[in-house]
Amino acid sequence: MAAARSIVAARIAARSWRPEVELLLGCARAHVDIEGAARISALVEHEFDWDYLIRVADRHGLQPLLHHHLTAICPTAIPEIYAQRLREAARRVSALNTFLTNELQRLLALFAAANIEAMPYKGPALAAELYGNVALRQFSDLDIIVRPRDVPRAHDILLAEGYAPLPPLNRAQQALLMRMQCNLPFTREQNRLVVELHWAVSAPRFARPFGTDTLWAGRESGQLGRTEIKLLAVEDLLLALCVHGSKHLWERLAWICDIAELLRQRREVNWPKLIATARATGSERMLLLGLRLAADLLAAPVPAEAVQALAADPMVSTLAAEVVRYLFTPALTPSGLAGYFRFQLKTRRRLRDKVQYLCFVITPTEKDLASLTLPAPFTFVYYLLRPVRMLTTGGPEHFQ
């Protein structure tokens, strides 16, 4: 652990952040210690661009944590106009999160009554587990994992509750989607409510970090308010979050904050098993990238097993530097499809994993399926349509 801390300290010392970014990094955690609080108090005493701070906190989904810690540490140091903006932002997030949490509890009860096992993923469950308060982690939808065999029944329950697939798909298209992707979005109340029904945590050709049986066998017990829930095992959750972050180029600091909090709070992780699983399934570099970013940016503790793996793969440091280079700039991520494409290929070490990703790129999504209704013998046309839609609509999100 000492080696890990020395690596982290050297990297942090080597980088010079503007004070607003340094303050945001100091607040991007569930708890701020005495030393951290002193540093935050010292930072706000100097000339400060509060407008920039609030904008960048919003972009990274960290306004609730920023408000929470500044209010506790130095409430009088915030100019009133900006204090009011932070209060209003925190209230909006709290109201939405409470609304979504209540809806999640209601849906879980409906699934349970129908004998459908369900696990909440990210969202309120992760907020409660890592931050102790659903208002402190910003989220905008609900992710629920069910067994593949239960997807049709869960689908029908959501329809009965006023939800509709987003975009609209018929049964044949949904069956095709289940073979190619990992979730089906549903919406209600003009997109005010979005529920993503998952049967896996990643599309098979993007990354397959664990099988369905393993996912359910390792589940843990948790609590969401007064509702008893089931959660992914910590090793599965950590790997799933790192795969998700890599898929989206780690463009939000809040995702890195989640990894850092897991590293701080869940010391019982079976690291040899986790690293071996990630290595065997081709997602090791994604896992290590998440750990590297959490260590570099938020001083998260990295276990000796991970330090050894990081030292053996210098590409992880290269990828981390690329993420950090864009993290606090207007560009946000590497430019265009080419930049996204290069990044994703570099997150895969083995040739067969790179080839699998190339297959994922042309795998149709729900939007591709919704654009054209085809009879079963002609579903191959969706694979031809996919590249055309990506090139004509543009944007890295079409590779995701």
Side-chain angles (χ1 to χ4, degrees), residues 108 117-120 125-126 128-130 215-237 262 266 268:
L108 291 176
E117 288 189 277
M119 286 190 290
L126 195 60
E129 180 183 0
L130 297 184
L215 191 76
W216 287 93
R219 63 192 185 277
E220 302 176 352
S221 296
Q223 199 77 22
L224 183 60
R226 296 182 179 179
T227 303
E228 294 184 4
I229 59 176
K230 294 298 183 181
L231 301 167
L232 293 175
V234 62
E235 293 85 3
D236 294 340
L237 177 60
L262 273 171
R266 301 295 299 272
E268 76 279 15

Side-chain angles (χ1 to χ4, degrees), residues 35 41 55 71 86 134 136 191 196 202 204 281 293:
E35 182 181 349
S41 296
R55 282 189 288 107
T71 300
L86 274 176
V134 296
L136 293 182
N191 294 346
E196 293 194 359
S202 174
T281 55
L293 290 168

Side-chain angles (χ1 to χ4, degrees), residues 1 21 33-35 61 87 102 117 141-142 169 224 246 253 270 301 312 333 349 372:
M1 190 65 73
V21 169
D33 59 20
I34 295 175
E35 182 181 349
R87 281 195 301 270
N102 291 337
E117 288 189 277
D141 56 15
L142 299 174
L169 298 176
L224 183 60
S246 294
L253 183 59
N270 186 335
T333 57
R349 177 186 291 173
L372 184 64

Side-chain angles (χ1 to χ4, degrees), residues 17 19-33 35-37 39-40 43 53 62 65-66 69-70 73 253 257 261 264 297-298 328:
W17 299 108
E20 296 84 4
V21 169
E22 187 175 348
L23 187 141
L24 185 62
L25 292 171
C27 291
R29 59 202 69 221
H31 305 285
V32 174
D33 59 20
E35 182 181 349
R39 180 58 182 156
I40 288 171
L43 283 168
L53 173 65
L62 289 173
L65 280 175
L66 180 65
H69 291 309
L70 288 182
I73 295 168
L253 183 59
C257 184
E261 289 304 319
R264 291 191 186 99
L297 293 168
L298 301 174
F328 301 108

Side-chain angles (χ1 to χ4, degrees), residues 23 39-48 50 70 74 77-78:
L23 187 141
R39 180 58 182 156
I40 288 171
S41 296
L43 283 168
V44 299
E45 290 178 359
H46 299 290
E47 187 173 343
F48 215 71
W50 287 98
L70 288 182
C74 51
I78 313 172

Side-chain angles (χ1 to χ4, degrees), residues 34-303:
I34 295 175
E35 182 181 349
R39 180 58 182 156
I40 288 171
S41 296
L43 283 168
V44 299
E45 290 178 359
H46 299 290
E47 187 173 343
F48 215 71
D49 187 341
W50 287 98
D51 184 69
Y52 171 80
L53 173 65
I54 292 174
R55 282 189 288 107
V56 76
D58 180 44
R59 165 177 154 175
H60 287 287
L62 289 173
Q63 283 187 323
L65 280 175
L66 180 65
H67 172 262
H68 176 74
H69 291 309
L70 288 182
T71 300
I73 295 168
C74 51
T76 60
I78 313 172
E80 179 54 30
I81 185 174
Y82 298 110
Q84 182 177 353
R85 282 175 59 183
L86 274 176
R87 281 195 301 270
E88 291 174 353
R91 286 171 185 159
R92 285 195 302 271
V93 170
S94 179
L96 176 60
N97 287 9
T98 301
F99 172 73
L100 290 173
T101 300
N102 291 337
E103 180 66 3
L104 174 62
Q105 292 170 319
R106 192 179 74 86
L107 292 176
L108 291 176
L110 290 172
F111 288 162
N115 293 317
I116 297 174
E117 288 189 277
M119 286 190 290
Y121 171 49
K122 300 183 290 186
L126 195 60
E129 180 183 0
L130 297 184
Y131 304 96
N133 185 341
V134 296
L136 293 182
R137 183 183 186 272
Q138 201 164 327
F139 50 89
S140 58
D141 56 15
L142 299 174
D143 298 88
I144 304 175
I145 305 173
V146 300
R147 295 179 187 271
R149 66 171 183 258
D150 290 328
V151 169
R153 290 196 297 140
H155 167 277
D156 290 343
I157 289 174
L158 290 173
L159 290 186
E161 293 302 309
Y163 286 90
L166 178 70
L169 298 176
N170 60 37
R171 288 284 188 176
Q173 290 171 322
Q174 290 174 27
L176 183 59
L177 188 73
M178 282 195 66
R179 297 199 300 269
M180 300 184 298
Q181 299 293 340
C182 64
N183 69 281
L184 176 62
F186 290 80
T187 183
R188 201 181 80 186
E189 298 178 16
Q190 297 181 329
N191 294 346
R192 183 175 180 228
L193 270 172
V194 175
V195 173
E196 293 194 359
L197 190 64
H198 292 254
W199 47 92
V201 295
S202 174
R205 290 174 176 171
F206 185 86
R208 193 191 292 271
F210 20 62
T212 301
D213 292 340
T214 303
L215 191 76
W216 287 93
R219 63 192 185 277
E220 302 176 352
S221 296
Q223 199 77 22
L224 183 60
R226 296 182 179 179
T227 303
E228 294 184 4
I229 59 176
K230 294 298 183 181
L231 301 167
L232 293 175
V234 62
E235 293 85 3
D236 294 340
L237 177 60
L238 187 53
L239 185 52
L241 292 177
C242 287
V243 169
H244 174 266
S246 294
K247 182 179 180 181
H248 298 284
L249 280 69
W250 295 101
E251 62 187 23
R252 301 188 77 187
L253 183 59
W255 299 335
I256 301 171
C257 184
D258 292 338
I259 303 301
E261 289 304 319
L262 273 171
L263 294 174
R264 291 191 186 99
Q265 298 180 33
R266 301 295 299 272
R267 301 300 180 93
E268 76 279 15
V269 175
N270 186 335
W271 285 102
K273 177 183 176 182
L274 173 55
I275 292 175
T277 300
R279 182 174 297 143
T281 55
S283 52
E284 180 189 16
R285 192 169 279 174
M286 299 183 203
L287 171 67
L288 294 177
L289 177 56
L291 303 183
R292 172 86 277 170
L293 290 168
D296 288 356
L297 293 168
L298 301 174
V302 179

